[in-house]
Structure formats: structure tokens, C-alpha cells
Amino acid sequence: MRVQTVLNTTSGDMMAFFRSLRLTNFLSFEDSGELDLRPLNLLIGANGSGKSNLLESIALLKATAVGGDLPQLINDGGGATEWRWKGAGKGANIGVDACVNYVPVKSPPGRTPLALRHLLTLSVSRSGFSVADEAIENKESQPPHDRPYFYFRYENGWPTLNVNPQTEQQNGPPVPGSSRRLQKEDLDPTKSVLSQRNDPDIYPELAYLRAQYERIALYTDWTLGRAARVRGPQSAAYREDRLQEDFLNLGHVIKRLQQGGLADALIEHLQRFSPTIRDVGV
């Protein structure tokens, strides 16, 4: 599993997006504990040990970025009860706790990336699911605050936003913006706040998370046989700069590699696994 990278705007270097994940009552995980992630992660385990389920947690985070994708993902997976660990009690919630790297755009050179936490808790019933709790906050507190600074969270059951905090300042903790409590009916309970409040000027941290989640690509269907759709005609409208999750633009991507003189380097790497490879194509 390769974790996507993002640009550190203060150094010009690339850094891993995800720092860690923790899953509770999620599919085969009662409590995964905090799983540290690196730019490249190798998942090894017997069938049914949870390798695919870890990828499903990333798919769920990706689905929070687009309005209709979270309910669709849950329903496509058999409904909310199928996503909850089978050993959990009837009222147990599903939890996904992600920590990511974040450097505000206007940060001074050399600033250490912030550890930004996104906690998503889903309440499950036979009739469906709802977002029971969600928080987007700094993972660690910074003096003089005794609690991590938050950008969005539920306080006493009410969704609350900190609007446009000055995270760009050079030293010290973020300067709080105006804290605004939302009416519960202002948010769709089957969707994440990321798909409902994401103006980059007002909610820069929320907009950043949404943008990075949308960039996630999960390649889990490797059907490349002679009758596979990927071998059929490919629309000229498909993008060529990045492989789609359904592989239907594979021909365009390979053509671009060939035109850019990168195909030889790709073949050289592939020959490490199979020395008989001489060319790539669809």
C-alpha cells in the first residue's frame, strides 16, 4: 500500500499524507490500535486477516469528501450493520481515527508539518447509519492551550466550527477565529462535514482534507485478461496524467509514458520481477 504524498509548501519536498490510522468496531477490527503509516506500506497476512479491510477504511475516508459517496459506499458494502465488527454490541459505534500531515500554505520556511486529526464516528442501526461524532483538530495541544485546537467538532452534541483561524502565523499556537455553533439540521447526518463546509478561505483545514481525500486512488480490481474492459476502445476524453481506479484509461497513461521517454525506465523496474518483460501496452 503506497500512501499518497503531498507538497510541503515551506520546503518544496514531498511528504507522506497519512501518519496513522486507528479503527474501532470496523469490519474485522475490534480495535486496531494506532497503526503508523509510511510512504510505502506492505500488508502481509492470511486470508481474512484484515488487509482489504484496512483499505476499506481509506475508501471510507475518501468517500467523506464527496456528498453522496459515503451513503453509497456504505450501502454498496451491504448496509451499515455489515461494516460493524461482528463481535460488537448492538449499540456500538464504528470509529475511524486518521492522523495526517498538514502545512498551511502561508507557513514560514522550515515549519514542521502539523499533525491534523480527523475522527469519524458512525452510529449504526438496522435502518441505516448517521454521523454520531466528527472532529477535525490538531492532534496535540500547544501552549498555552491545554486541549488540541479544533477546526470542527461536536460540543455537547452541537456541531461547532472555528472559522478562519490564523494558522499561518510564524510562532505559537493558532489564533482562534470565531467559534460558530451550527444548528443540527444544518448538516446532513449521513454525510461528513467535509462535503458540506469546505470553502478554502473560511475553512482551510477542512478544504485541505477534502482535497487530499479526493486525490486518493485505490487500485483493487486487477482484471486484465483478454476480455477485460481495459483492453477495449478507450475514450479520448479519459485523462492521461493519472491512472483511473477502473483502469479504463490505462492505454492513455502508457502512451504518455512512451511519449515522455519513461517507458524504458518502467520496463527496467518491471524486469526486476520478471526478466522476460520486453514492452508494455494494452
Side-chain angles (χ1 to χ4, degrees):
M1 180 180 71
R2 182 181 181 275
V3 172
Q4 73 186 68
T5 55
V6 293
L7 178 66
N8 183 333
T9 55
T10 69
S11 67
D13 298 327
M14 300 303 292
M15 61 183 180
F17 173 59
F18 282 106
R19 287 192 180 197
S20 65
L21 283 172
R22 183 172 185 174
L23 312 175
T24 53
N25 296 323
F26 182 88
L27 294 172
S28 59
F29 294 97
E30 178 183 8
D31 185 347
S32 68
E34 188 167 0
L35 303 173
D36 291 331
L37 297 177
R38 299 291 183 265
L40 183 63
N41 303 274
L42 185 61
L43 308 180
I44 301 175
N47 290 341
S49 60
K51 301 186 297 298
S52 296
N53 291 341
L54 181 62
L55 296 179
E56 290 285 6
S57 71
I58 295 177
L60 187 141
L61 290 172
K62 178 180 180 179
T64 64
V66 182
D69 282 6
L70 184 57
Q72 180 177 339
L73 180 71
I74 296 293
N75 292 332
D76 288 349
T81 56
E82 292 299 314
W83 288 78
R84 185 168 58 188
W85 179 58
K86 298 306 181 185
K90 185 176 180 180
N93 292 334
I94 296 170
V96 178
D97 190 348
C99 180
V100 306
N101 279 312
Y102 171 58
V103 177
V105 174
K106 298 182 181 179
S107 296
R111 177 169 180 174
T112 302
L114 295 173
L116 189 64
R117 181 189 185 211
H118 182 198
L119 171 66
L120 182 69
T121 303
L122 303 181
S123 175
V124 177
S125 67
R126 289 188 176 181
S127 60
F129 78 97
S130 62
V131 176
D133 191 16
E134 188 169 18
I136 297 167
E137 60 189 10
N138 292 340
K139 187 174 183 181
E140 306 291 342
S141 61
Q142 299 177 348
H145 306 293
D146 57 358
R147 297 177 61 187
Y149 181 81
F150 79 91
Y151 308 99
F152 173 83
R153 73 175 173 220
Y154 281 79
E155 291 197 312
N156 300 318
W158 291 92
T160 305
L161 284 158
N162 267 329
V163 180
N164 197 19
Q166 300 301 311
T167 55
E168 305 86 4
Q169 66 175 18
Q170 296 190 13
N171 299 301
V175 175
S178 59
S179 180
R180 181 162 65 92
R181 175 180 289 185
L182 303 177
Q183 296 298 315
K184 294 181 180 179
E185 57 267 24
D186 288 344
L187 294 179
D188 185 329
T190 66
K191 300 177 182 178
S192 163
V193 69
L194 294 181
S195 65
Q196 303 180 72
R197 298 290 188 279
N198 49 64
D199 186 312
D201 294 323
I202 304 175
Y203 318 111
E205 289 74 22
L206 276 63
Y208 169 80
L209 270 181
R210 174 182 171 129
Q212 298 309 319
Y213 285 164
E214 287 180 330
R215 290 181 61 236
I216 292 173
L218 296 168
Y219 303 105
T220 57
D221 184 3
W222 294 86
T223 304
L224 299 175
R226 287 183 297 174
R229 289 181 62 201
V230 68
R231 293 185 178 274
Q234 299 189 5
S235 169
Y238 287 156
R239 62 190 301 169
E240 61 180 29
D241 61 324
R242 175 179 171 180
L243 186 63
Q244 298 174 185
E245 290 178 306
D246 58 12
F247 291 85
L248 292 184
N249 67 332
L250 180 59
H252 293 302
V253 173
I254 291 176
K255 182 178 179 180
R256 184 181 181 186
L257 290 174
Q258 292 169 335
Q259 292 175 341
L262 298 175
D264 290 342
L266 175 61
I267 292 170
E268 182 180 347
H269 285 294
L270 291 174
Q271 286 175 340
R272 297 179 182 181
F273 301 95
S274 178
T276 60
I277 293 177
R278 294 291 179 266
D279 196 5
V280 290
V282 175

